[in-house]
């Protein structure tokens, strides 16, 4: 039996433009290693999404799949639907299976708006194994496979939820042998080349309003951690393959400080002086012991989920941090020479006592003002900036639907407004989007971090600034009535 799992094709060059294909798809590599461990007589192929649709279909023909799978997040869904429909037209009889966050959160949309057959809901390893066994031998029935939605007689059927894999150490290391790192550009800003991403944990114990993480909460515990010794083993494998920087994929690397320090010790014991790391942190769990441990393993940059510098908004979106904690954590990290990339968003919405609340233009101004000040004070090196976007699976999405805020037609797009807020015009939204993008670009230039991928970074930033500027100008005429 021949199984192909791929990413969406590079429709109109936009997959590469958005940096979606910078790394191997770790979820697919985990599925391949799990299938390899538990099955025989299965030929597996990984179809990258860095190519146009015609070349994509040609490669698929060469692979001759019996089953085709495609994995995509919400922002990739338009490309995924076009890919799925093109594959269905070329291969009318092969099963098409969809997985990852968007099919998990919006399986009805996927099965309605595309020609896919099945959506995997939640983690994919065990479910994909049972689906392959079903198509290979016919011994199972779809209705008995937990964690899927599928079409039957024109209607959508949903099976029982799939329980999480509680022991991540029971999973084999991803099938890194199926990828060539020369095919990936890696991080846009990095110290070590080549570089890649690596999963250290799954899930998140928090419940921020804007986050679509709840789609992975089919069972508890919400947060699962890999054993430090297995992390150490995978790092060794990647280092021996030439990798010199790793982006630690954990929603927050410091959710469990005891585990984080154990992982840091395991990495330090490897004594790879030329191996660098980046990671994500929460601002309320940055201690001096942690900052020192991160420095000792060559964590040169952290991504700090700040979101906003307004306490009212932080409380409303259930971030459970304070502005002072954000400032203090930045000071502590900078004390140990670690760069800080601030993740910021504008125009959050939330609900209090059955009342709709939103971030005001004055509060957005304050966030930009604070970001400029902290950059000037040497506490923030770079930043991201986007409009808060309601994604399926998030509380924000449910709130936007409840109050009829979603603009029509709805697009999953962080570049432009996807919801309408009372008293805030599109012109105002786009003005703040543009101002934030200009500040983001200034910080990137001022930081002095020059890498092989910097030209790509600045090209993307310039494209976004031109897009936002054009949209802002148009908004002055097209949305006067807002």
């Amino acid at each position: 039996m021949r199984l192909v799992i791929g990413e969406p094709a590079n429709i109109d060059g936009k997959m590469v433009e958005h940096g979606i294909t910078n790394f191997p798809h770790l979820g697919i590599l985990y599925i391949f290693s799990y299938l390899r461990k538990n099955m025989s007589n299965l030929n597996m192929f990984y179809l990258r999404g860095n190519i146009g649709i015609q070349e994509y279909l040609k490669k698929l023909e060469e692979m001759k799949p019996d089953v085709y799978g495609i994995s995509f997040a919400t922002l990739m869904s338009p490309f995924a639907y076009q890919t799925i429909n093109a594959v269905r037209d070329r291969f009318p009889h092969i099963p098409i299976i969809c997985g990852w966050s968007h099919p998990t959160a919006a399986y009805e949309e996927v099965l309605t708006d595309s020609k896919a057959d099945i959506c995997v809901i939640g983690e994919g390893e065990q479910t994909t194994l049972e689906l392959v066994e079903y198509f290979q031998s016919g011994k199972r029935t779809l209705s008995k496979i937990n964690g899927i939605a599928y079409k039957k007689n024109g209607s959508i059927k949903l099976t029982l939820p799939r329980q999480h894999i509680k022991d991540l150490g029971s999973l084999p290391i991803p099938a890194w042998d199926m990828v060539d790192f020369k095919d990936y550009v890696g991080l846009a800003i990095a110290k070590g080349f080549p570089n890649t991403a690596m999963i250290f944990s799954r899930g998140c114990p928090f419940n921020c309003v804007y986050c679509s993480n709840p789609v992975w909460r089919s069972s508890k515990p919400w947060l699962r951690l890999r054993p430090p010794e297995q992390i150490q083993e995978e790092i060794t494998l990647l280092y021996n393959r030439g990798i010199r920087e790793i982006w630690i994929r954990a929603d927050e690397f410091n959710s469990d400080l005891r585990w984080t320090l154990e992982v840091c010790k395991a990495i330090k014991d490897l004594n790879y002086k030329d191996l660098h790391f980046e990671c994500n942190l929460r601002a309320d769990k940055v201690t001096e012991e942690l900052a020192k441990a991160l420095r000792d393993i060559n964590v040169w940059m952290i991504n700090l989920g700040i979101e906003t510098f307004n306490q009212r908004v932080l409380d409303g979106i259930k971030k459970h941090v304070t502005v002072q904690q954000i400032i203090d954590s930045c000071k502590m990290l900078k004390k140990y020479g670690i760069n800080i990339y601030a993740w910021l968003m504008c125009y959050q919405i939330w609900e209090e006592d059955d009342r709709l609340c939103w971030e005001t233009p004055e509060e957005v101004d304050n966030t930009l003002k604070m970001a400029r000040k902290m950059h000037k004070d040497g506490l923030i090196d770079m930043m991201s900036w986007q409009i808060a976007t309601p994604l399926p699976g998030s509380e924000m999405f449910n709130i936007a639907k409840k109050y009829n805020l979603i603009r029509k037609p709805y697009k999953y797009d962080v570049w432009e407004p996807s919801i309408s807020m009372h008293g805030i015009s599109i012109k105002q939204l786009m003005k703040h989007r543009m101002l934030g993008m200009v500040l983001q670009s200034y910080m990137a230039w001022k930081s002095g971090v020059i890498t092989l991928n910097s030209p790509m970074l600045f090209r993307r930033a310039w494209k976004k600034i031109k897009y936002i500027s054009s949209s802002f100008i148009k908004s002055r005429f097209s949305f006067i009535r807002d």
Side-chain angles (χ1 to χ4, degrees):
M1 184 174 180
R2 301 170 74 86
L3 169 68
V4 175
I5 304 179
E7 302 147 348
N10 186 24
I11 307 294
D12 299 328
K14 292 183 178 179
M15 292 286 287
V16 172
E17 178 183 316
H18 289 297
I20 293 171
T21 60
N22 287 11
F23 304 106
H25 192 305
L26 298 178
I28 294 175
L29 297 186
Y30 263 104
I31 288 173
F32 282 148
S33 65
Y34 189 82
L35 294 176
R36 182 184 287 169
K37 176 183 176 181
N38 291 281
M39 290 193 74
S40 57
N41 302 319
L42 179 64
N43 294 314
M44 299 178 293
F45 303 87
Y46 177 17
L47 185 52
R48 288 187 60 208
N50 65 324
I51 53 179
I53 189 62
Q54 294 307 317
E55 186 179 354
Y56 190 98
L57 294 172
K58 182 179 179 182
K59 284 186 176 290
L60 202 53
E61 286 177 343
E62 294 169 355
M63 295 171 178
K64 298 180 174 60
D66 297 298
V67 177
Y68 165 75
I70 181 170
S71 183
F72 56 98
T74 294
L75 296 181
M76 293 184 281
S77 57
F79 315 123
Y81 296 162
Q82 293 179 62
T83 303
I84 291 167
N85 294 341
V87 170
R88 168 60 69 223
D89 292 342
R90 185 69 61 90
F91 304 93
H93 303 299
I94 66 169
I96 298 179
I97 303 170
C98 301
W100 204 16
S101 57
H102 192 66
T104 292
Y107 61 87
E108 289 181 325
E109 176 193 303
V110 174
L111 295 176
T112 300
D113 292 355
S114 78
K115 299 177 181 179
D117 299 300
I118 299 171
C119 285
V120 173
I121 300 174
E123 293 178 331
E125 288 90 356
Q126 294 173 326
T127 308
T128 303
L129 172 64
E130 294 181 16
L131 283 170
V132 171
E133 290 174 342
Y134 165 79
F135 288 113
Q136 187 177 52
S137 64
K139 292 182 180 179
R140 296 179 180 271
T141 60
L142 282 181
S143 62
K144 299 298 182 181
I145 298 176
N146 292 345
I148 64 170
Y150 61 98
K151 296 176 183 175
K152 183 177 181 181
N153 300 326
S155 61
I156 296 174
K157 304 294 183 181
L158 181 66
T159 65
L160 294 173
R162 169 74 60 181
Q163 296 295 301
H164 284 153
I165 298 171
K166 294 182 179 179
D167 179 13
L168 296 186
S170 68
L171 292 173
I173 286 174
W176 288 110
D177 58 291
M178 298 185 71
V179 300
D180 186 344
F181 292 116
K182 294 179 181 178
D183 294 335
Y184 300 89
V185 297
L187 291 160
I189 304 172
K191 277 196 172 183
F193 296 91
N195 52 66
T196 193
M198 178 179 154
I199 292 175
F200 278 42
S201 66
R202 293 187 182 184
C204 173
F206 302 97
N207 193 25
C208 299
V209 169
Y210 58 84
C211 184
S212 59
N213 201 301
V215 301
W216 304 114
R217 293 178 179 170
S218 59
S219 61
K220 290 188 175 182
W222 287 353
L223 174 67
R224 288 152 299 140
L225 308 169
R226 292 183 67 189
E229 60 272 16
Q230 190 189 58
I231 291 173
Q232 187 184 58
E233 178 186 356
E234 187 173 348
I235 289 173
T236 300
L237 183 154
L238 292 172
Y239 186 83
N240 291 336
R241 291 267 319 260
I243 292 297
R244 289 300 178 266
E245 182 161 331
I246 294 172
W247 176 26
I248 295 173
R249 291 289 299 274
D251 283 2
E252 304 94 1
F253 186 40
N254 59 340
S255 288
D256 184 321
L257 276 175
R258 185 177 68 175
W259 169 81
T260 307
L261 294 171
E262 289 175 356
V263 171
C264 288
K265 182 181 184 304
I267 295 173
K268 185 178 179 180
D269 289 345
L270 291 173
N271 200 31
Y272 294 148
K273 301 295 186 182
D274 58 341
L275 181 63
H276 302 275
F277 293 89
E278 296 184 34
C279 67
N280 304 339
L281 295 182
R282 277 185 61 86
D284 62 331
K285 291 178 176 288
V286 176
T287 64
E288 185 150 11
E289 185 181 15
L290 172 65
K292 183 179 182 300
L294 294 175
R295 181 203 61 186
D296 289 346
I297 63 169
N298 291 336
V299 172
W300 75 279
M301 179 180 286
I302 64 95
N303 301 290
L304 193 65
I306 295 173
E307 321 311 345
T308 177
F309 282 105
N310 300 285
Q311 193 61 53
R312 184 184 78 96
V313 181
L314 287 170
D315 294 341
I317 62 176
K318 303 178 184 177
K319 189 70 181 177
H320 298 300
V321 299
T322 67
V323 173
Q324 190 59 51
Q325 285 174 327
I326 292 169
I327 296 170
D328 291 344
S329 65
C330 290
K331 289 179 179 178
M332 181 61 69
L333 292 165
K334 297 305 288 186
K335 176 181 176 180
Y336 286 87
I338 299 173
N339 289 357
I340 297 172
Y341 194 106
W343 288 10
L344 299 170
M345 288 191 285
C346 60
Y347 291 109
Q348 298 273 4
I349 65 168
W350 65 95
E351 192 176 40
E352 291 180 9
D353 301 322
D354 291 324
R355 178 174 57 88
L356 176 66
C357 302
W358 59 89
E359 191 170 24
T360 67
E362 293 76 19
E363 287 171 322
V364 176
D365 284 333
N366 182 63
T367 291
L368 291 173
K369 177 182 176 181
M370 280 291 296
R372 287 193 297 269
K373 182 180 185 304
M374 291 190 69
H375 177 68
K376 182 179 178 181
D377 293 344
L379 297 179
I380 288 177
D381 298 280
M382 286 173 280
M383 60 174 270
S384 67
W385 183 253
Q386 66 186 50
I387 298 171
T389 302
L391 299 178
S394 68
E395 184 179 344
M396 184 181 183
F397 187 80
N398 296 331
I399 292 170
K401 287 178 63 178
K402 176 179 177 180
Y403 290 95
N404 197 28
L405 302 180
I406 295 177
R407 298 176 60 82
K408 304 294 184 181
Y410 181 56
K411 296 187 297 182
Y412 305 117
D413 193 339
V414 297
W415 281 25
E416 61 182 73
S418 56
I419 61 175
S420 300
M421 284 181 282
H422 306 302
I424 301 177
S425 68
I426 297 296
K427 181 178 70 174
Q428 179 68 69
L429 289 167
M430 297 307 286
K431 174 186 175 182
H432 275 129
R433 184 71 172 97
M434 181 177 67
L435 290 173
M437 283 300 305
V438 171
L439 181 59
Q440 177 183 2
S441 301
Y442 171 77
M443 287 189 188
W445 169 73
K446 192 73 173 177
S447 68
V449 179
I450 304 299
T451 73
L452 293 176
N453 287 342
S454 290
M456 177 199 308
L457 178 72
F458 288 116
R459 281 198 302 271
R460 286 183 195 160
W462 179 240
K463 283 183 179 180
K464 290 179 181 180
I465 289 172
K466 288 197 298 183
Y467 173 81
I468 297 301
S469 300
S470 173
S471 299
F472 172 63
I473 292 169
K474 291 177 182 177
S475 73
R476 296 182 67 90
F477 301 98
S478 302
F479 299 100
I480 292 291
R481 290 171 295 179
D482 284 357

